[in-house]
Amino acid sequence: MSVVGALVLAAVVLAAGLVVLAAVLRRARPARGNAEHPGLERSESVLPLLREITGFLESGGEPFSVLQVLAKRLCNGVFDACIIEIDPDRGPQALAVIACYDESPLPPRPLPETVLTPTATTVVLNAEEVRRDEKLSSVFGNLGARSVILTPAISRGMVFGTLALGTRAEHVSHDLVELAAEIGARVGSYAHRLRLEQEVTAAQQVKSDFLAVMSHELKTPLNIILGYADLLLVGLPVAIPLESRPHLERLRSSARDLLARLEEILAFARMDDEPDEPVFEQVDVATVAREVASSLRPVAEQRSLALLAEQASSPVFVTTDHARLAQVLFNLVSNAVRFTNQGSVTIAVRTNGFGGASVTVADTGVGIAAEHLEQIYEPFWQINRSPTRTVGGLGLGLAVARSLALSIGGQLSVTSNVGHGTTFVLELPARAPESSGTRGA
Amino acid sequence: MDGKTVLLVEDSGDTRVIYSTILAHNGFRVLEAVNGDEGIRIAREERPDLILMNVSIPLIDGFKATALLKRDPDTAHIPVIAVTAFTRKKDRKRARDVGCDSYLPKPCDPTRVLQEVQRFIGVASLPMTEMPIEPL
């Protein structure tokens, strides 16, 4: 054999040896998936993974923990490294999470600042591009990431953050990129939901503060108007001429109307709020009905109406919240009085067949047409909305009454005859259900 | 002193005029304070028979002022009626917790204020003035 031949042979042997060595080395590290579909242990197991991911995102935990759990899972059998940056509240504080690299025993750690360049579409960065990105490579650097898939956390076209999913694999399959994009979409939905929840909470707080302030600011001047009117009518500081009385009485009456409207609005606006803790106790419904009747009798008498509370022969007890029951009855009777021009309004209380109580408020008023019977509970709905209508009010009483009735386990129903009158029936259970503390819709 | 004294703690000038007019007309001697600090000072100095305390007053609010007065052995015995627009159950609970003896929701007719004052300290012993009164 010639020297050249021997050298060629040696080179071939050496090359073969190196190939074998490389193969051995590669096989020594358990191959993740296969060369065609790097990153997926089983190429058909995408759906269970997505279900798992949805499970984490719906778990209701604190957002940072949720994203940590997700990152850990993504680094366990799917990708080799993961960064999740979410900014649900558009603030400077981004929720950034990095997963330690695959199979690391350490939990994902937070990053001190944002690392990823936001993107609107899913892009794949190859190893060279990763090396060129200073921030990315500082995080992914010692991983030797071959490729990084950057995908937006996107929902309804709005971008809430970015995910960087790194892999050591040679190639990134189309399926893997699709999976990354899908994960980005799910995380986007999650971030979107977080933002909406924050906005709702903020809005409710604003409303609550507004109500508290309005309540005080509007009632104070009204208090003063009514106060002076009362004093003048009592002859303080001096007796007033008889001719002046009617004007003053109108003034006072109008101020009282205004106060009633204000109370109506505030009660309606408070409907969605955290209600006062209901107090469930034994309440004699007949007594509540009588009290409501006495408080509205002056108004009824002014309209020349009889307001009758049918005397039950014995008390009718149920376990319920006294204040809410009184408010429901007050609203029903107040409406009845307002919409009746002649005749009477009658409140009757009976035990119903189930150990509970039924309260009937019947009037001889204008009645409600059959086609309106569903609408009457709608906020602001009134039979006649023209400015020249004679009946005052804002049309909120029934909305509030129904909401309160539901909250004490009650049911409201109505029958009516146009031109003859209307009858409302409130059915109450023997015991208001504990869980119905919150007001119904 | 024969007459009964009511301390009215209220920052609104009109409201002070309204309540003190009806109280004075019914024989009470009325002292006025426009904020919590002044209310506490006058209560300690004058020892009124009753305090009508508006809750939303400047410097120290009505509830804090009440709590302070109830802790002070010199003024703890004086009944305090809270007057306020905040009428939720938690507000009423707060009123009870700080030691208020009663609670009047705003708006409040002068006659109701008078009745509540009389409920606590009775009819004043000073003679009523002779003005003709028309019933409300």
Side-chain angles (χ1 to χ4, degrees), chain A residues 78-195:
Chain A
V78 190
F79 297 98
D80 296 313
C82 164
I83 303 177
I84 306 178
E85 281 183 6
I86 296 298
D87 180 20
D89 59 3
R90 291 197 191 112
Q93 183 74 26
L95 263 185
V97 175
I98 180 184
C100 280
Y101 316 109
D102 56 83
E103 294 150 2
S104 162
L106 299 174
R109 59 185 168 86
L111 293 175
E113 52 166 12
T114 61
V115 162
L116 304 178
T117 311
T119 172
T121 55
T122 304
V123 294
V124 180
L125 303 177
N126 62 34
E128 178 58 41
E129 288 166 311
V130 173
R131 269 194 296 276
R132 266 189 269 129
D133 183 320
E134 211 179 286
K135 285 187 175 179
L136 256 189
S137 63
S138 74
V139 168
F140 281 158
N142 54 351
L143 172 70
R146 297 289 165 84
S147 320
V148 172
I149 307 174
L150 278 183
T151 188
I154 194 165
S155 169
R156 301 253 189 106
M158 292 186 283
V159 176
F160 292 89
T162 317
L163 287 82
L165 303 164
T167 170
R168 279 193 208 100
E170 293 275 357
H171 303 288
V172 173
S173 74
H174 181 69
D175 283 350
L176 196 63
V177 177
E178 292 267 294
L179 173 62
E182 177 59 30
I183 294 171
R186 289 183 191 215
V187 175
S189 282
Y190 172 71
H192 192 179
R193 197 175 68 228
L194 282 184
R195 187 182 300 184

Side-chain angles (χ1 to χ4, degrees), chain A residues 184-418:
Chain A
R186 289 183 191 215
V187 175
S189 282
Y190 172 71
H192 192 179
R193 197 175 68 228
L194 282 184
R195 187 182 300 184
L196 290 174
E197 284 170 6
Q198 281 167 352
E199 284 174 5
V200 166
T201 307
Q204 277 175 339
Q205 186 59 44
V206 168
K207 186 175 101 168
S208 194
D209 292 342
F210 172 80
L211 277 183
V213 169
M214 278 296 109
S215 188
H216 184 262
E217 295 307 312
L218 295 178
K219 283 187 184 177
T220 301
L222 262 180
N223 197 28
I224 291 169
I225 294 171
L226 286 166
Y228 279 129
D230 283 337
L231 285 185
L232 287 168
L233 283 165
V234 197
L236 289 171
V238 290
I240 55 168
L242 205 57
E243 301 87 8
S244 298
R245 284 201 70 85
H247 285 184
L248 215 38
E249 276 165 359
R250 284 300 306 144
L251 191 152
R252 181 173 62 179
S253 164
S254 213
R256 283 190 178 154
D257 280 350
L258 184 55
L259 181 60
R261 294 299 90 73
L262 180 60
E263 298 284 5
E264 224 181 314
I265 295 175
L266 291 175
F268 172 72
R270 279 204 201 102
M271 237 160 66
D272 303 328
D273 272 2
E274 280 304 307
D276 284 338
E277 282 305 306
V279 175
F280 292 123
E281 55 189 349
Q282 284 277 71
V283 174
D284 175 15
V285 184
T287 302
V288 179
R290 269 196 300 277
E291 285 168 353
V292 167
S294 343
S295 68
L296 284 165
R297 197 159 280 124
V299 183
E301 274 163 16
Q302 251 184 351
R303 294 171 57 74
S304 310
L305 302 173
L307 178 49
L308 311 161
E310 276 187 10
Q311 301 285 12
S313 50
S314 51
V316 180
F317 285 109
V318 295
T319 302
T320 192
D321 180 296
H322 184 286
R324 293 186 189 189
L325 173 60
Q327 187 69 58
V328 175
L329 296 186
F330 182 90
N331 288 13
L332 292 177
V333 178
S334 167
N335 267 10
V337 167
R338 263 193 274 156
F339 287 98
T340 302
N341 300 315
Q342 56 179 16
S344 62
V345 175
T346 311
I347 316 173
V349 179
R350 301 195 161 71
T351 50
N352 69 21
F354 312 100
S358 71
V359 183
T360 308
V361 177
D363 66 53
T364 58
V366 296
I368 304 168
E371 62 262 24
H372 293 149
L373 285 178
E374 286 297 310
Q375 291 174 280
I376 53 174
Y377 296 104
E378 281 167 31
F380 305 111
W381 191 89
Q382 286 173 294
I383 189 98
N384 179 355
R385 284 189 154 136
S386 81
T388 56
R389 72 172 191 277
T390 49
V391 180
L394 294 164
L396 297 172
L398 283 179
V400 174
R402 183 168 69 164
S403 167
L404 288 174
L406 283 172
S407 82
I408 54 177
Q411 288 270 9
L412 264 184
S413 62
V414 60
T415 50
S416 188
N417 213 331
V418 174

Side-chain angles (χ1 to χ4, degrees), chain B residues 59-81:
Chain B
L59 299 186
I60 302 183
D61 76 46
F63 285 145
K64 291 202 191 89
T66 303
L68 281 166
L69 289 172
K70 288 293 180 182
R71 277 204 289 272
D72 183 341
D74 292 335
T75 51
H77 64 282
I78 306 175
V80 175
I81 301 176

Side-chain angles (χ1 to χ4, degrees), chain B:
Chain B
M1 182 166 28
D2 280 331
K4 304 255 173 100
T5 305
V6 173
L7 168 59
L8 176 58
V9 187
E10 167 63 65
D11 61 329
S12 152
D14 287 304
T15 309
R16 278 200 307 278
V17 168
I18 292 167
Y19 293 163
S20 64
T21 303
I22 193 132
L23 289 170
H25 184 72
N26 281 273
F28 294 97
R29 177 172 159 247
V30 182
L31 301 170
E32 296 180 3
V34 304
N35 61 54
D37 274 341
E38 203 181 9
I40 292 171
R41 183 176 57 78
I42 297 180
R44 285 183 176 145
E45 283 170 5
E46 303 278 340
R47 314 285 175 84
D49 297 291
L50 179 137
I51 302 174
L52 266 176
M53 182 83 80
N54 183 359
V55 171
S56 357
I57 46 177
L59 299 186
I60 302 183
D61 76 46
F63 285 145
K64 291 202 191 89
T66 303
L68 281 166
L69 289 172
K70 288 293 180 182
R71 277 204 289 272
D72 183 341
D74 292 335
T75 51
H77 64 282
I78 306 175
V80 175
I81 301 176
V83 182
T84 176
F86 300 110
T87 53
R88 316 206 67 196
K89 275 191 192 146
K90 62 177 183 190
D91 303 309
R92 275 177 277 173
K93 181 174 187 307
R94 177 107 200 273
R96 272 199 307 276
D97 291 343
V98 299
C100 293
D101 299 90
S102 181
Y103 187 106
L104 282 172
K106 260 195 215 172
C108 194
D109 333 327
T111 10
R112 185 146 171 222
V113 173
L114 175 67
Q115 279 166 359
E116 192 67 6
V117 169
Q118 287 172 335
R119 186 164 81 85
F120 276 91
I121 58 179
V123 175
S125 60
L126 285 181
M128 305 245 293
T129 53
E130 292 305 312
M131 247 177 248
I133 296 294
E134 323 212 19
L136 267 176

Side-chain angles (χ1 to χ4, degrees), chain A residues 28-47:
Chain A
R29 202 168 18 111
R32 196 176 298 286
N34 56 55
E36 294 310 307
H37 299 282
L40 290 177
E41 287 190 291
R42 277 177 276 287
S43 59
E44 72 277 9
S45 63
V46 169
L47 219 42

